[in-house]
Amino acid sequence: MDLTGEFEARSYGGGATREATRLESLHLGDEFRQLALPPENAGGFTALLELPPTQAVNLLRFTDSPSSSSQAAAVTGISPPPLHSYGTLTFPSDSVLMDRAARFSTEHHQNGNVSGTSSLPSNSSVKTEPAETDSSQAVNNRSGKRKDSDKKAKSWTKKNKSSEENENLPYVHVRARRGQATDSHSLAERARREKINARMKLLQELVPGCDKKVFDLQIQGTALVLDEIINHVQSLQRQVEMLSMRLASVNPRIDFNLDTILASENGSLMDGSFNGTAMQVVWPHQVTETEQSYHHRQLQQPQQWPFDGLNQRAWGKEEDQDHGQ
Amino acid sequence: MASADKPINTDVPEKDVFTLHFLQSLSNLRRQNTFNSPEKTNDRVKKIKKAAYVSMARAAGGTNRLWSRALLRRAAKENSKVVRFPRRKKRVTCLRRRRSNRRDPVEEEEAERLRNLVPGGGGMETSKLMEETAHYIKCLSMQVKVMQCLVDGLAPK
């Protein structure tokens, strides 16, 4: 639970305390305060996003008053009646919190609340962006503090978790390991190296014969893997060359009447003449299957349906004759 | 701060798309030239090879991939054809800024060799290069399979 709490703190660009995170989710607008609460950990942000527009409009109507104090009072005054429409909601009865929320709500209200529900998600996103840029520096400071307190194994797992969870965010929150510098250059360097390692893993899965190598984070391992990859690419290119030589020697035999085949496939008009032209070409079994699947996929685009039965029969005949040959 | 990666996309279309493109290019070749000249097999081989690569590049995502773009451009230059590509955002300026970051002495030799192999590798950063290599490997293996099928079908033993 502690880790999830930290995750929320980081993802909302929150401050150091739980209260601050709640506050930041709160300062998205005091009209959302009421909805920020039932999933207290999840925070007002996600509740905001799940908010159906009709309810948001209702909330907006309640906050159309000019001054902040009256606004807060109005909200608190009006809040009990709509509460029952949202089910059982708890409400922070802290006066301190409400003061702070009122203060933030004026600031939010001055941002322009006029455009209606469509502006609501954008406002929240605007709020989280500066919050996140603040947090990036906060993370640096925090990581500087934490690197002394964490043990190496613990920080490694946390770093893993943060790198996994942060795949979807525009900023990567990187946790410094013990004894490593935290200036921006080395951080960028480390992020870049992680990117390269991730892609290296991808390549390792592709290239056969790389699986048995050591799962590496060292430079020594990557050199071997890269050698393997280069060998594989070279061998593939050589194979293409050899096959093209073979094709060149075989080629005069081909009686390609591809034009008619392709035209008929695109026009989706299958006559009986289709059979005649296709028969002259000796197709291997796999190629007919793949072309068949391709044809079927193309035919499923809504063209003339009565021809479909004819097509299938035609392909079936072709395959039988192919088997016979 | 570095930006996080979105999931790396290396999807390659199915075998039949490759087949289709390859056969189209072959039939084009047949229409253009006569294949009755046995002494020019070398030329023919080269033409077929080029047709194979170009069709592979076109089948594997057109001009969305860096290596296919470079391949097509190289092929068009030999034909002295003018090729028009939809202009993407300014990659080049980004590259010039990043070039200072790229130095990592141990990997650079290997990356250099990869760059020579993969078409269009000269202007790419190392991470981008690896992505392109992965896609290139997938497409190459697909092309090899297609050609193998064709050769087996046309000259069964």
Side-chain angles (χ1 to χ4, degrees):
Chain A
M1 272 304 283
D2 190 36
L3 281 181
T4 60
E6 277 186 24
F7 164 56
E8 259 103 33
R10 267 186 276 121
S11 69
Y12 300 142
T17 64
R18 297 293 289 286
E19 178 174 300
T21 63
R22 231 186 294 144
L23 264 186
E24 269 175 314
S25 61
L26 285 178
H27 87 263
L28 293 178
D30 61 340
E31 55 262 23
F32 307 122
R33 239 190 321 164
Q34 309 157 23
L35 296 177
L37 311 166
E40 279 205 5
N41 287 342
F45 188 49
T46 52
L48 166 67
L49 288 183
E50 294 163 8
L51 180 58
T54 55
Q55 292 183 1
V57 171
N58 282 337
L59 288 177
L60 269 186
R61 264 194 280 132
F62 293 141
T63 60
D64 255 346
S65 49
S67 70
S68 67
S69 54
S70 63
Q71 188 183 19
V75 170
T76 57
I78 303 180
S79 56
L83 264 186
H84 62 75
S85 66
Y86 302 121
T88 61
L89 287 179
T90 60
F91 196 80
S93 45
D94 253 354
S95 57
V96 179
L97 269 186
M98 278 187 346
D99 286 344
R100 283 204 211 167
R103 219 183 331 128
F104 283 124
S105 71
T106 57
E107 164 186 335
H108 169 71
H109 202 69
Q110 281 159 12
N111 279 345
N113 213 357
V114 199
S115 44
T117 60
S118 59
S119 71
L120 296 174
S122 61
N123 273 341
S124 59
S125 62
V126 159
K127 274 302 178 182
T128 52
E129 268 186 34
E132 280 192 15
T133 50
D134 290 343
S135 78
S136 62
Q137 296 151 12
V139 164
N140 273 338
N141 298 336
R142 239 189 325 148
S143 60
K145 282 183 224 155
R146 294 223 187 172
K147 82 176 174 187
D148 301 328
S149 55
D150 286 344
K151 291 187 193 160
K152 187 166 183 184
K154 192 170 168 207
S155 68
W156 184 77
T157 54
K158 272 191 195 165
K159 181 166 174 278
N160 242 0
K161 219 180 182 132
S162 68
S163 63
E164 288 176 25
E165 287 159 346
N166 283 322
E167 285 293 326
N168 307 326
L169 297 178
Y171 290 105
V172 170
H173 300 277
V174 180
R175 194 69 66 91
R177 283 200 205 140
R178 186 185 179 124
Q180 283 185 352
T182 52
D183 49 338
S184 65
H185 277 304
S186 50
L187 273 178
E189 192 59 35
R190 204 176 321 126
R192 187 186 142 254
R193 204 171 299 149
E194 279 170 15
K195 262 167 85 168
I196 292 184
N197 281 337
R199 281 160 185 159
M200 189 83 67
K201 258 184 271 175
L202 199 72
L203 278 176
Q204 258 184 323
E205 291 163 18
L206 270 187
V207 176
C210 258
D211 300 340
K212 288 132 195 163
K213 303 265 157 82
V214 178
F215 175 84
D216 55 58
L217 290 170
Q218 305 169 2
I219 305 178
Q220 182 81 16
T222 58
L224 290 175
V225 168
L226 274 173
D227 269 341
E228 198 57 45
I229 292 172
I230 290 177
N231 283 340
H232 192 236
V233 169
Q234 276 174 337
S235 78
L236 279 177
Q237 282 179 339
R238 256 181 278 139
Q239 269 181 328
V240 168
E241 193 167 337
M242 281 224 325
L243 282 172
S244 67
M245 270 200 319
R246 287 179 67 186
L247 255 188
S249 66
V250 160
N251 214 3
R253 263 193 63 191
I254 301 177
D255 192 6
F256 274 144
N257 248 327
L258 266 187
D259 303 332
T260 53
I261 296 182
L262 294 174
S264 57
E265 156 195 333
N266 286 334
S268 80
L269 248 192
M270 300 282 192
D271 302 323
S273 58
F274 173 95
N275 277 341
T277 55
M279 279 317 117
Q280 293 165 11
V281 185
V282 179
W283 288 112
H285 187 67
Q286 299 104 331
V287 178
T288 44
E289 270 188 8
T290 57
E291 287 220 10
Q292 191 178 19
S293 57
Y294 186 62
H295 283 306
H296 278 215
R297 222 184 302 151
Q298 267 213 342
L299 290 173
Q300 274 156 19
Q301 296 161 10
Q303 293 296 333
Q304 296 100 356
W305 273 108
F307 286 113
D308 200 24
L310 176 66
N311 302 337
Q312 292 189 0
R313 260 182 282 131
W315 275 113
K317 261 191 263 171
E318 186 187 12
E319 264 203 17
D320 287 344
Q321 293 202 8
D322 226 353
H323 282 305
Q325 287 173 0
Chain B
M1 266 293 190
S3 58
D5 335 314
K6 311 172 182 85
I8 307 173
N9 180 26
T10 49
D11 293 337
V12 160
E14 292 292 311
K15 222 195 297 186
D16 33 14
V17 180
F18 277 88
T19 322
L20 194 68
H21 277 89
F22 191 44
L23 291 176
Q24 271 179 335
S25 65
L26 278 185
S27 71
N28 278 340
L29 267 185
R30 176 162 169 72
R31 245 190 280 134
Q32 286 171 12
N33 307 318
T34 66
F35 278 163
N36 301 331
S37 46
E39 61 267 3
K40 298 206 181 133
T41 35
N42 237 2
D43 278 353
R44 212 158 25 128
V45 166
K46 275 194 224 157
K47 282 207 172 83
I48 291 187
K49 189 167 81 159
K50 203 176 72 163
Y53 275 118
V54 166
S55 71
M56 172 170 80
R58 231 182 283 139
T63 50
N64 288 336
R65 284 278 158 181
L66 278 170
W67 64 262
S68 64
R69 229 184 265 216
L71 244 186
L72 289 173
R73 187 166 286 174
R74 205 192 291 170
K77 215 188 300 179
E78 290 175 15
N79 291 345
S80 71
K81 243 197 297 182
V82 177
V83 187
R84 257 184 245 108
F85 292 117
R87 248 338 187 161
R88 276 163 114 207
K89 298 180 206 158
K90 324 215 162 169
R91 301 175 278 144
V92 188
T93 55
C94 293
L95 277 179
R96 283 206 200 105
R97 201 187 343 125
R98 279 207 205 133
R99 230 167 251 248
S100 55
N101 273 341
R102 265 202 304 169
R103 301 293 153 218
D104 196 0
V106 190
E107 295 181 347
E108 270 312 299
E109 313 141 18
E110 315 285 335
E112 202 54 42
R113 286 162 68 184
L114 251 189
R115 260 177 254 269
N116 292 338
L117 276 185
V118 176
M124 282 193 259
E125 219 199 351
T126 312
S127 56
K128 192 74 181 171
L129 180 70
M130 304 200 142
E131 218 178 301
E132 296 291 318
T133 312
H135 196 255
Y136 187 56
I137 288 180
K138 274 196 199 167
C139 291
L140 265 184
S141 47
M142 192 69 74
Q143 183 76 16
V144 163
K145 270 187 235 168
V146 162
M147 289 175 75
Q148 188 75 44
C149 280
L150 264 182
V151 168
D152 285 342
L154 291 173
K157 285 294 163 75

